[in-house]
Amino acid sequence: MILALMKGMCDMDNKIDKKLEDIKNNDNVYSVGKVIKVNPYTVIVSGLADITYYEEVNIADKAKGFVFAVGKNTVTVSLVEVGSKINPGDLVYSLKKQFKCLFSMDSMGKVIDIFGNDLIAGKKFDNLVEVPIENEPIPIMDRGLVTREFLTGITGIDMLYPIGRGQRQLIIGDKKTGKTQIALDAIVNQKDKNMVCIYVALGKTKKEVKDIYLELAKRGASSYTIVIASFNDELPNRTYLTPYVALSIAESMMLDSYDVLVVIDDLKKHADVYRQISLASRKTPGRDAYPSDIFYAHSKMLEKGCQHKDGGSITILPIVETKSSDITDYISTNIISICDGQLVLSSKNFARGEKPALNYGLSVSRLGGNVQSSDMKRVGSLVRNKLLDYLEVRDIYELANFDEMSPELQMRMKNGKIILEKLKQYKFAPKSKEEMLKLYEFLEVGDNDASR
Amino acid sequence: MMQVGKIITISDISVEIILSDNSLKIGDILEVEGNSKYLFEVVEINNISAVCLSLYSTRGLQKGSTVIKKSDELEIEYSDKILGRVFNSYGDVIDGLPFESEKKVKVSNSTVSLKEVKASNEPLWTGIKVIDFFAPLQKGFKMGLLGGAGVGKTVLIKELIHNIYASSKSNAVFVGAGERSREGKELYEDMKSSDLLDKMTMVFGQMGDNPVSRSKSVTTGLRMAEYLRDEKGQDVLIFIDNIYRFIQAKAEIATELKELLIENGYPSNMASEISSIEERINSNDKGSITSFQAIYIPADDLSDDAVQTVMSYMDGQIVLDRKVAELGLYPAIDVFKSTSRLVDAEKIGERHFNLVERVLAMLTRYEELEEIIAVLGIEELSEDDKLVFYRSRKLRNYFSQPMFVAESFTNIKGEFVDIKDILDDVENILNGKYDNVDESKFRYIGKYHE
């Protein structure tokens, strides 16, 4: 399976040892520099006159990083691993290779980081391959059309706001509205559907990640799911890089004709970490103090979501946490404008017990019926239309006397209520398409006025 | 080839070069000796060094690399060979088919002067009720399509392509600037399968590309539209999705070059950057350019500086509103903010003009009534207000429309509606002719059939 995907195994440690040996023997002295300034996440280095951009460097065996900016006399190195304290004057060795991360073919069912560590077992995998942190954008002509369905098992999604393989569908809402739960439901529903799932946890607590890991294991999703985690007590550069590396891994699988699902939980934290790094490196901030290329940071990441012309696909479910149900803040609108649709969760619905707490008015799927089977498309658009109509009418006629309404209006109100009721679904209770269709059979039966 | 210097600084999208030659000019294209995957454009120059923007990724580029001059400026194809083809922002063909160049020109061009510019033209109907009624347009117009994220800008652009381009003999240019690659590919496939590709040129610098590419897609596409206007004397259509991304990309570049920025991180020369584009999109004696420009509204903030600056060039604006979208009424247009220069009794005729005024007055009252109803309920309204209430809801529903390109969402076939029918229907609703018809009968229809 996945094991066959990655080629060119190598033993990194040996390579580094050999390089250090070379340097000690003065075989390539020219690529040694000296630390002249130590910042929280970066160091400034003098020397390294023939360095390449994004080259990996080793700082006196204490830390590891990559070249983030090449200046006239100095080089800025972003740190990704720090063993012990770095001092000015420490020697910096360039490794004559582009900075890459590590991935093991044995990661399935494990919680890993982007440096080849099995975080639950607390040790490094022993068969690691290198993964680039980012590849070139996928050419527009290499993309196919997104038409194959990706089923979450949730009626309100599969029927009303469907997702296709290769689609980027944002899940957005306040804290405690069930965002992660929808992603987990979607992962669990991929059992026996030939889908590799990658759950990327950014800035979550360790307890949360362990819960998610155990939950997935309990539901039998381990055999096809990898959890990639980065925590807030790590260097911010690692959290920043993690989703890019996860998508590089997904990209190599896609090019090998696999269908991959990547959940990124969540991108607001990613934006905040990028802001932290960017302000620390004294870049001029833009709106809300985010760096001016924050849109690009997310667009190049999410553009990896793709149905490839050769068959494989990457479906991405990014998650964004909002405050006070405001989905119009800077980061949220940026990401909405990148994605192919959004599932908006409402804390009011959640409190009312309407779960999943989808706000059906604000949710959108830009692919709509293109990714649905014909019966799901037919019934889905009928249900969506009636539901939205009902939700609007409901508020207006809240205080009106039901008996005095026209028969047409009474029917709309009655049907609407039933439609809404049938969308309620408890967590980890997936429905098949047939079950969903059956729920709404009543709408297509002739005796109902409102459907005409 | 001529060596011009060596690279001394590198960042994500820019490099600095120590010069060994003083003949360089701004706009020159340079490449790394022996590695043509690194290409640069000179943007700043002094007597010892030059700052350049990198056209592609700088990763893996080595400090001290020798740089040679490749050409004087970016060049694009300037012949009929552009039709039916797909280009990247730098004018390279990217559709994978063989290409033979006939004539190439530099991408930069001057704006249209006051003497040359042609102001008025014949009307152009889109068949989209809400546009033709509230914001009618004519050939040579610039139409801004404004909307926050995910309220339907791109669908509307596609419907306009379907309704106007498909039925006209004109050539068209589509510029994908900083938008989704998936949509670009879909449009390409759509055009191909409906045999419309051969009169269209597409240029893409999408959101996965670096800011240099995203900003240049607009000028490249524009140069091609100018070819169609000036050399072929056509009434050209240009669709730009999305012009905001042009400014956004310029802001990223300005930050990278350590320029001083204005509020919200926009470049200080934003007004002149936008002007240098918009004043080129004009009609002259040879032909006209009608443009549809999607304008993204960051953070749903219509008062954003970049949005306002672009808007000031538009002859008409269609504003999409999240609140209307929430009701499931598409196209989700805010009728109070959507208008055009043509909405004037002398231009569209008294009847049309008066109907627009009456509809807006009624819908304004409706908004007030909604607030009253939220508190008191509908039964407390006076008889007159009840009429206003029910008729407004019919009007509002009537302005939703099944669109050809949205068939996969609505499951209803699209309709092109004639302006005469729109005026009749609106008049009838206003005058109470349909007071006994249920409001749901007006949702997602073309013209009203009794």
Side-chain angles (χ1 to χ4, degrees), chain A residues 47 174 201 251 285 294 319 330 361 422:
Chain A
D174 283 3
E251 194 177 342
I294 186 72
I319 294 177
Y330 182 44
K422 287 185 187 237

Side-chain angles (χ1 to χ4, degrees), chain B residues 195-436:
Chain B
D195 276 334
L196 292 170
L197 190 63
D198 57 342
K199 344 179 252 173
M200 185 181 244
T201 299
M202 294 176 141
V203 180
F204 289 112
Q206 295 296 49
M207 58 167 64
D209 294 342
N210 74 16
V212 183
S213 161
R214 275 178 278 144
S215 64
K216 288 208 181 292
S217 58
V218 177
T219 36
T220 300
L222 191 49
R223 193 78 185 96
M224 292 175 175
E226 284 164 350
Y227 164 76
L228 297 169
R229 177 192 65 193
D230 296 344
E231 307 297 323
K232 293 181 60 105
Q234 286 209 345
D235 291 329
V236 188
L237 299 168
I238 181 166
F239 299 90
I240 302 175
D241 189 8
N242 184 304
I243 192 77
Y244 176 81
R245 304 290 183 207
F246 167 79
I247 284 302
Q248 189 176 41
K250 289 280 180 191
E252 287 171 40
I253 294 170
T255 312
E256 186 76 29
L257 297 179
K258 300 204 162 49
E259 285 172 16
L260 295 179
L261 308 175
I262 61 170
E263 67 206 83
N264 289 328
Y266 290 121
S268 56
N269 64 347
M270 179 165 71
S272 43
E273 290 278 10
I274 292 174
S275 185
S276 70
I277 297 292
E278 295 294 348
E279 289 294 359
R280 275 172 71 178
I281 313 179
N282 263 324
S283 306
N284 57 19
D285 291 343
K286 297 170 196 143
S288 71
I289 297 183
T290 308
S291 66
F292 293 91
Q293 308 183 27
I295 306 170
Y296 172 72
I297 304 179
D300 274 18
D301 175 12
L302 197 55
S303 65
D304 180 90
D305 261 351
V307 173
Q308 287 298 325
T309 310
V310 178
M311 293 255 288
S312 62
Y313 288 93
M314 298 293 135
D315 297 303
Q317 62 187 55
I318 295 158
V319 180
L320 298 166
D321 187 24
R322 198 175 298 279
K323 283 197 216 85
V324 185
E326 204 175 344
L327 303 173
L329 295 169
Y330 287 93
I333 288 173
D334 178 339
V335 298
F336 299 108
K337 294 200 185 108
S338 301
T339 185
S340 83
R341 276 184 215 276
L342 273 193
V343 183
D344 179 324
E346 278 179 25
K347 289 176 180 154
I348 49 171
E350 221 145 290
R351 179 172 177 234
H352 188 159
F353 181 75
N354 287 339
L355 285 173
V356 172
E357 298 266 283
R358 280 177 69 194
V359 168
L360 289 178
M362 187 176 265
L363 292 177
T364 307
R365 179 64 186 152
Y366 172 76
E367 291 215 320
E368 293 163 2
L369 292 177
E370 264 192 326
E371 285 165 29
I372 299 175
I373 291 167
V375 184
L376 297 173
I378 194 162
E379 264 127 77
E380 301 298 316
L381 296 184
S382 71
E383 284 311 308
D384 278 357
D385 279 343
K386 271 190 191 164
L387 280 182
V388 168
F389 181 77
Y390 289 120
R391 287 175 192 171
S392 300
R393 290 179 62 82
K394 277 169 202 158
L395 278 174
R396 213 191 48 179
N397 281 357
Y398 178 73
F399 284 117
S400 68
Q401 184 169 345
M403 293 192 275
F404 292 95
V405 297
E407 218 179 303
S408 64
F409 306 100
T410 57
N411 217 8
I412 313 172
K413 221 176 156 31
E415 278 190 61
F416 186 103
V417 187
D418 196 273
I419 183 68
K420 286 195 205 71
D421 294 325
I422 304 173
L423 297 181
D424 287 347
D425 287 342
V426 169
E427 196 163 39
N428 286 337
I429 297 174
L430 284 173
N431 293 343
K433 191 177 171 197
Y434 301 138
D435 278 355
N436 295 322

Side-chain angles (χ1 to χ4, degrees), chain B residues 4-19 24-32 38-46 49-56 58 61 67-68 210 212 216 253 256-257:
Chain B
V4 292
K6 283 189 186 329
I7 290 182
I8 49 160
T9 76
I10 310 167
S11 75
D12 242 0
I13 53 168
S14 71
V15 296
E16 196 175 341
I17 294 167
I18 282 277
L19 298 176
L24 275 195
K25 300 178 301 299
I26 285 186
D28 283 353
I29 303 296
L30 314 178
E31 77 179 15
V32 167
Y38 298 112
L39 286 173
F40 313 106
E41 182 190 53
V42 179
V43 289
E44 263 174 52
I45 206 159
N46 61 37
S49 70
V51 177
C52 307
L53 290 176
S54 178
L55 304 192
Y56 299 100
T58 51
L61 178 60
V67 177
I68 55 177
N210 74 16
V212 183
K216 288 208 181 292
I253 294 170
E256 186 76 29
L257 297 179

Side-chain angles (χ1 to χ4, degrees), chain A residues 382 386 408 443 445-452, chain B residues 438 440-441:
Chain A
L382 182 69
K386 284 185 183 305
E408 274 163 335
L443 283 176
V445 183
D447 65 346
N448 130 59
D449 272 330
S451 74
R452 264 181 240 145
Chain B
D438 188 77
S440 60
K441 298 277 188 286

